[in-house]
Amino acid sequence: MRQPLLSQKSGPLSGRIAAPGDKSISHRALILGALSMGTSRIVGLLQADDVMATAAALVQLGAKVGNERHEWFVTGRGVGGLMAPEAALDFGNSGTGARLMMGAVAGHEMTATFTGDESLKQRPMGRVLQPLELMGLNVVEARETLPLTLIGTDDLIPIEYRLPVPSAQVKSAILLAGILAPGQTTVIEPEPSRDHTERMLEYLGAKVVIGERDGQRAVTVEGDAELVARDIMVPGDPSSAAFFAAGALLSPGSDILIENVLANPTRTGFYQCLAEMGGDIVFEGEHEASGEPVADIRVRSSELHGITVPAARAPSMIDEYPCLAVLAAFARGETRMEGLGELRVKESDRLASIADGLTACGVEASIDGDALVVVGMDQVPGGATVATNMDHRIAMAFLTLGIGAEQPVTVDDARMIATSFPDFPDLMAKLGADLRPGNAGAE
Ligand code: S3P
């Protein structure tokens, strides 16, 4: 049964809040923990469906995973030590879990079937399989979507690979296979994508070299690596914090502090946009935790104006476009976001989901090739039911829009929010937003 959720105009947002653990780092902490010798203690792991699916898959592959409240423990099997699973590995909604684990499985002599939910089964896997096949992975039946059966090998070939699309997931899958191959494996990126895998590999003892090939970033890992378990602190997720920041900016009189947020420059493109739009946003108390930069983010409501977001910035804010697009509806003038082709293959076709949702809410939004154009308004009408298309970020973005719209906004199904941010409704309400169950008849 669908669970519609409604969001309506509230007073200002205020207070201090901690964003949930970063999803990308949480997946990596579990996977690299399972490939380490010893027991890793992970503090601040994101407890959401996507990450739990990865944890369950790792247990099927022989790792031990458990928790005492918010502290998680992974007892690994060492690089190359995973065991063949007895049943299919189900990654639910998570592209990150599925794609990274394909890299981890590639270097083990085993057969494993990967599957997921209806959204994940639509998403392209060829981009990961192609380089892994060059390294020696076998794919049973020539398919490019889940369910897929893969045959790994303990005799991988190291490769040098230039990514055809900027994708941290593809890069990470190759690096996770690379630590099992003899010699050096190099990934060359057209645009730098999030670098958590390389940072964490180095933190756990692998040899990683960041260099350049023809002006592009090149990451090299040394194969036959040994990883040694260490404590991993997971900072707050800037992609989840984005909704708090947007809500505070668009709701007059707001003043919030989001604590302990990952401030890695490969992830902060959204916050750069907010500053360029005239947002009052300050990073405070920057420090490092487990090899990653972290900061508190202070946000006060602001008069915003539209900007052009260049395509080169897309990888550093790829998951934040739904949030930026709804915020752009409240900014003076036009916001043009370029180079968004990858949004078509996310949890939904996000370009279409965003444009349709904004149009339903009375906002002028259009798709121009790979660009999205949103025209801001003094008063955003709202008053619509938005189709979330099984996409958690579409649901959260339009609930954020409802905070400032003239009429309430309903999202047709809020269940997918649990994949990345189960506490979103409660934490938004804690800041002062007015969220309540929607009309079950909403379509
Ligand atoms: C992720 C990388 C991004 C992002 C996803 C998480 C990761 O995907 O959209 O939510 O953790 O590596 P792509 O690498 O496919 O762009």
Side-chain angles (χ1 to χ4, degrees):
M1 265 273 278
R2 287 183 178 193
Q3 287 171 13
L5 193 59
L6 175 149
S7 165
Q8 60 190 351
K9 212 170 201 163
S10 64
L13 302 191
S14 64
R16 302 168 79 95
I17 202 146
D22 185 72
K23 183 151 69 77
S24 293
I25 294 180
S26 294
H27 282 294
R28 288 157 173 82
L30 291 172
I31 296 169
L32 291 181
L35 294 173
S36 297
M37 293 304 292
T39 299
S40 302
R41 183 174 72 107
I42 307 169
V43 179
L45 187 87
L46 173 66
Q47 296 185 208
D49 292 355
D50 275 11
V51 175
M52 294 302 120
T54 292
L58 291 167
V59 170
Q60 285 177 264
L61 294 164
K64 283 204 186 103
V65 182
N67 71 309
E68 282 165 26
R69 292 173 50 78
H70 294 292
E71 287 198 355
W72 285 75
F73 299 91
V74 182
T75 304
R77 302 192 57 87
V79 175
L82 297 180
M83 287 162 28
E86 282 172 10
L89 307 172
D90 187 346
F91 291 93
N93 191 245
S94 180
T96 307
R99 293 192 178 118
L100 267 57
M101 286 302 296
M102 287 178 181
V105 159
H108 292 80
E109 207 165 67
M110 65 165 75
T111 300
T113 297
F114 285 61
T115 191
D117 71 9
E118 290 312 310
S119 158
L120 190 57
K121 281 181 187 162
Q122 314 277 323
R123 299 183 63 189
M125 295 296 152
R127 52 178 59 193
V128 188
L129 298 175
Q130 203 205 343
L132 294 179
E133 284 181 281
L134 292 175
M135 297 180 82
L137 178 75
N138 257 301
V139 184
V140 179
E141 290 179 16
R143 295 171 53 92
E144 296 210 343
T145 51
L146 302 186
L148 272 164
T149 298
L150 308 182
I151 305 173
T153 170
D154 60 6
D155 196 16
L156 281 182
I157 305 158
I159 56 168
E160 178 169 307
Y161 191 76
R162 196 176 290 270
L163 294 179
V165 284
S167 168
Q169 294 179 356
V170 179
K171 170 179 66 178
S172 299
I174 300 168
L175 296 177
L176 288 171
I179 55 172
L180 275 124
Q184 296 183 335
T185 292
T186 299
V187 183
I188 304 161
E189 305 193 85
E191 298 287 350
S193 65
R194 64 193 69 194
D195 60 359
H196 312 306
T197 304
E198 42 273 47
R199 282 180 189 251
M200 202 180 287
L201 279 171
E202 190 161 31
Y203 179 73
L204 297 175
K207 187 154 181 269
V208 180
V209 178
I210 312 295
E212 250 191 36
R213 291 276 202 294
D214 314 324
Q216 297 186 330
R217 186 170 184 271
V219 187
T220 300
V221 283
E222 197 71 50
D224 293 328
E226 277 185 29
L227 304 179
V228 181
R230 279 180 80 178
D231 282 3
I232 299 174
M233 304 293 155
V234 182
D237 195 326
S239 304
S240 298
F243 300 107
F244 300 144
L249 284 171
L250 64 81
S251 187
S254 296
D255 184 350
I256 65 167
L257 185 76
I258 317 167
E259 295 171 327
N260 193 36
V261 183
L262 174 72
N264 178 320
T266 63
R267 294 286 300 281
T268 49
F270 172 77
Y271 297 91
Q272 188 182 343
C273 293
L274 298 186
E276 288 173 8
M277 293 170 86
D280 182 348
I281 170 150
V282 183
F283 280 55
E284 299 173 352
E286 288 197 51
H287 63 280
E288 207 173 283
S290 309
E292 291 278 0
V294 178
D296 296 335
I297 307 179
R298 178 95 188 251
V299 189
R300 297 183 186 88
S301 58
S302 310
E303 298 275 330
L304 301 176
H305 55 82
I307 57 168
T308 294
V309 185
R313 198 178 294 168
S316 68
M317 55 178 292
I318 193 68
D319 294 333
E320 282 69 85
Y321 285 102
C323 189
L324 186 70
V326 303
L327 191 61
F330 295 85
R332 192 165 20 88
E334 192 178 283
T335 295
R336 185 179 168 86
M337 293 156 261
E338 296 180 336
L340 304 190
E342 276 297 295
L343 291 195
R344 294 192 192 277
V345 290
K346 292 295 178 188
E347 285 83 328
S348 68
D349 174 348
R350 280 193 180 151
L351 261 188
S353 299
I354 296 169
D356 292 350
L358 285 172
T359 306
C361 290
V363 180
E364 198 181 319
S366 55
I367 298 169
D368 176 13
D370 276 352
L372 176 67
V373 182
V374 178
V375 182
M377 310 177 86
D378 283 343
Q379 296 194 318
V380 173
T385 296
V386 170
T388 51
N389 301 324
M390 286 188 82
D391 190 328
H392 55 128
R393 295 199 200 278
I394 296 299
M396 291 187 280
F398 282 94
L399 290 167
T400 305
L401 183 140
I403 293 172
E406 296 308 303
Q407 298 296 322
V409 174
T410 302
V411 297
D412 66 350
D413 192 0
R415 284 175 302 176
M416 295 312 281
I417 291 175
T419 62
S420 71
F421 195 176
D423 293 337
F424 171 83
D426 287 347
L427 292 181
M428 269 296 195
K430 189 176 159 206
L431 288 176
D434 188 349
L435 268 50
R436 50 186 74 184
N439 175 0
E443 275 305 317

